[in-house]
Amino acid sequence: MLLAAKQTCHSTGAVHSSSLNIEGRSYLTDSWTNVPSSILSALPRRLHVEPSHPISITRNLIESRFPSPTYTHYNSLHPIVTVSQNFDSLDFPPDHPGRSRTDTYYINKDTVLRTHTSAHEVDTFRENKSEGYTISADVYRRDAIDRSHYPIFHQMEGARMWDRRKVPDGDIAKAVWADLRSLPKHDLVVEDPNPTIHPERNPLQAQHHSLEEVEAVAAHLKKSLEGVVVEIFSKAREAAIAGGETFMGTEEPLRVRWIEAYFPFTSPSWELEVFWQGDWLELLGCGVSKQDILIKAGKPNQIGWAFGIGLERVAMLLFSIPDIRLFWSIDTRFLSQFSASRPVGRFVPYSKFPACYKDVAFWLRSSSSSAGGGIRSNSQDFHENDVMEIVRDVVGDLVEDVKLVDDFTHPRTGRKSLCYRINYRSLERTLKNEEANELHEKIRNSLADKLGVELR
């Protein structure tokens, strides 16, 4: 039994109880609890390890570029973590929006569903099982409803470290350059016009690293991740050609470019973009690991790099999957199209069902003491993610997207009115207008009941 709650009450579909039993573990709940049963019920799926699922195939492709024993692959870390693991260990400031109940699913005030794989970063560095690692996992965030966003998605992060006490003569730069020479060569066209560091845009961690060390680590990082591009996009190109697709790039060498970036856990940092189907596509973020994180993990003598990539984004490109909801389908017409034992192929749509649009408009409350994240809201603390959560809780995956189409403030009273357009569309069948009307009325009632809005 995934979920057992001793007593429940409603709040944006959240499960509030004196305690929750989730996958055999018991958790106390409190006023912070905002995770709905619809999210908890999805925890056992773990698509990234489901045989022949496109997310799992994508994970395996990327992992193949990070072989053992240099890299350990962690694919079964539990999704429920402490606030300390998810935020404090990574030095998220107390007022960071990611800590808000509008963004994060809380089991209780001290426990959350991880919002990123980095929740395990300090623990993995501390374990120090191998010189490198990858972590692939399901992560959870309250988010918009559209074809590319879902409250559960999958990330992979990886890292490679060198230890000053273990490399010959303590010469990190020399050891890294030696390791780089053993990496597979490729024929990518690489654009990398900027210097490795820049005092303002991409600073060196000068109190911990020398320029020579960072030059070597950055070169190893970039060569390693360029190899990931080769693995992914050569398969994508083969699949496109096999499917009869023709577009700019199927005959030309693959092109990538490195863009200076900012990430809180690395410095210097970069984004890697790939030229694909006539446009530049952002693929991943990476950089030289912040030394403070390694010090916190008890590994002050190590230096290295880290990266993070979204598996859905890559899988949608690789298999030409148009809607993120499809990954959660159990329809054999979807699942039978993929196999780890077959070459990567393009997804063939099995049906295109008509959309059904309906609007819901409401006045926000004029006063309240709430702070969003699943409780009755006023115009100052109203959060759009509360609307998304209610829609998901009522209709599940029967909605393709929800968009704000009107935002009006009354000139005399100052009251604020919002109008959202909900696109009802099933991936598996035609929704009758009567059914959509019934679902829409449930959403309207739930908005009024749980957010205290006045329907128009």
Side-chain angles (χ1 to χ4, degrees):
M1 179 75 176
L2 172 74
L3 172 65
K6 292 184 178 178
Q7 68 183 116
T8 63
C9 63
H10 67 261
S11 178
T12 322
V15 176
H16 282 188
S17 59
S18 57
S19 66
L20 294 175
N21 189 289
I22 306 169
E23 296 192 312
R25 304 184 188 189
S26 183
Y27 302 89
L28 295 176
T29 59
D30 53 32
S31 62
W32 282 78
T33 306
N34 70 344
V35 58
S37 57
S38 58
I39 294 294
L40 292 176
S41 66
L43 262 65
R45 286 292 303 274
R46 291 178 171 83
L47 304 183
H48 64 292
V49 292
E50 196 171 292
S52 292
H53 193 281
I55 296 292
S56 181
I57 295 170
T58 301
R59 172 186 59 81
N60 277 314
L61 275 177
I62 300 173
E63 283 181 354
S64 70
R65 286 287 172 160
F66 302 103
S68 60
T70 302
Y71 295 88
T72 299
H73 302 301
Y74 297 90
N75 296 318
S76 57
L77 297 173
H78 200 268
I80 298 178
V81 298
T82 65
V83 168
S84 176
Q85 287 174 301
N86 202 75
F87 299 120
D88 300 339
S89 70
L90 300 166
D91 294 328
F92 276 70
D95 60 349
H96 192 282
R99 292 179 180 262
S100 169
R101 293 173 72 243
T102 61
D103 283 24
T104 295
Y105 290 113
Y106 278 83
I107 305 299
N108 55 48
K109 67 181 179 65
D110 298 316
T111 314
V112 298
L113 293 177
R114 64 182 163 221
T115 64
H116 46 202
T117 51
S118 297
H120 305 286
E121 189 171 285
V122 171
D123 293 335
T124 305
F125 281 140
R126 184 179 294 116
E127 184 184 18
N128 201 32
K129 189 174 182 179
S130 55
E131 295 172 328
Y133 70 80
T134 67
I135 297 172
S136 298
D138 41 334
V139 299
Y140 302 78
R141 294 181 196 170
R142 303 174 91 230
D143 209 342
I145 298 177
D146 58 41
R147 285 175 165 236
S148 60
H149 292 87
Y150 203 77
I152 312 169
F153 56 104
H154 298 78
Q155 289 183 339
M156 175 188 284
E157 75 169 58
R160 173 69 162 93
M161 296 294 130
W162 290 265
D163 195 317
R164 300 182 191 281
R165 301 168 303 176
K166 296 181 180 179
V167 299
D169 303 317
D171 192 333
I172 289 286
K174 184 177 180 180
V176 175
W177 284 116
D179 286 339
L180 184 145
R181 286 191 287 272
S182 67
L183 294 178
K185 293 179 171 55
H186 61 67
D187 60 356
L188 295 177
V189 176
V190 180
E191 298 178 20
D192 190 10
N194 295 308
T196 301
I197 65 166
H198 186 278
E200 288 82 31
R201 300 192 310 263
N202 228 0
L204 174 74
Q205 300 174 59
Q207 68 273 37
H208 301 295
H209 307 151
S210 71
L211 176 59
E212 292 75 19
E213 290 171 338
V214 169
E215 292 275 10
V217 170
H220 191 283
L221 163 66
K222 292 177 178 180
K223 188 71 172 292
S224 298
L225 296 181
E226 288 160 5
V228 171
V229 171
V230 171
E231 193 68 34
I232 293 171
F233 285 86
S234 61
K235 297 290 191 299
R237 176 180 283 176
E238 291 167 7
I241 293 171
E245 297 180 42
T246 57
F247 52 82
M248 184 185 304
T250 53
E251 303 298 330
E252 299 176 358
L254 282 168
R255 294 165 55 195
V256 300
R257 66 182 182 187
W258 291 98
I259 307 295
E260 291 178 336
Y262 167 79
F263 300 110
F265 318 136
T266 56
S267 186
S269 305
W270 301 273
E271 290 175 348
L272 177 57
E273 296 185 349
V274 184
F275 194 74
W276 182 250
Q277 297 186 345
D279 203 0
W280 286 102
L281 173 70
E282 179 187 328
L283 184 65
L284 56 81
C286 60
V288 177
S289 295
K290 282 284 184 72
Q291 204 64 26
D292 289 346
I293 294 175
L294 289 161
I295 291 170
K296 189 172 293 187
K299 305 298 174 185
N301 295 300
Q302 294 188 2
I303 174 176
W305 53 253
F307 76 91
I309 189 169
L311 294 181
E312 272 84 353
R313 181 180 179 85
V314 176
M316 291 175 83
L317 179 151
L318 190 59
F319 297 97
S320 194
I321 294 173
D323 192 315
I324 196 169
R325 293 176 298 164
L326 280 163
F327 290 119
W328 294 89
S329 175
I330 57 174
D331 193 316
T332 55
R333 292 174 295 177
F334 175 74
L335 295 175
S336 64
Q337 295 192 38
F338 312 100
S339 173
S341 61
R342 298 197 303 264
V344 169
R346 309 298 260 181
F347 169 65
V348 179
Y350 42 83
S351 205
K352 181 66 174 177
F353 298 104
C356 180
Y357 295 94
K358 297 188 181 295
D359 291 351
V360 56
F362 50 81
W363 294 103
L364 296 180
R365 297 173 68 214
S366 57
S367 63
S368 173
S369 60
S370 73
I375 50 182
R376 299 165 72 87
S377 307
N378 66 13
S379 58
Q380 284 72 45
D381 51 40
F382 171 84
H383 199 287
E384 190 172 82
N385 281 349
D386 292 337
V387 175
M388 304 298 171
E389 202 66 36
I390 285 173
V391 172
R392 282 196 175 100
D393 188 57
V394 173
V395 302
D397 287 348
L398 296 179
V399 165
E400 180 173 283
D401 57 61
V402 178
K403 295 180 180 177
L404 180 67
V405 293
D406 187 61
D407 184 337
F408 169 73
T409 301
H410 195 285
R412 183 173 58 84
T413 66
R415 293 190 70 190
K416 188 172 186 178
S417 170
L418 302 174
C419 180
Y420 286 89
R421 181 157 295 159
I422 303 176
N423 175 12
Y424 296 87
R425 193 203 302 264
S426 171
L427 293 167
E428 299 173 355
R429 60 186 176 85
T430 298
L431 285 177
K432 295 182 179 179
N433 193 55
E434 293 80 5
E435 182 180 1
N437 283 339
E438 183 178 340
L439 293 171
H440 196 66
E441 190 61 26
K442 288 181 179 179
I443 288 173
R444 284 171 52 85
N445 292 336
S446 195
L447 288 168
D449 181 41
K450 297 174 181 177
L451 296 186
V453 300
E454 180 184 333
L455 297 171
R456 298 185 65 184

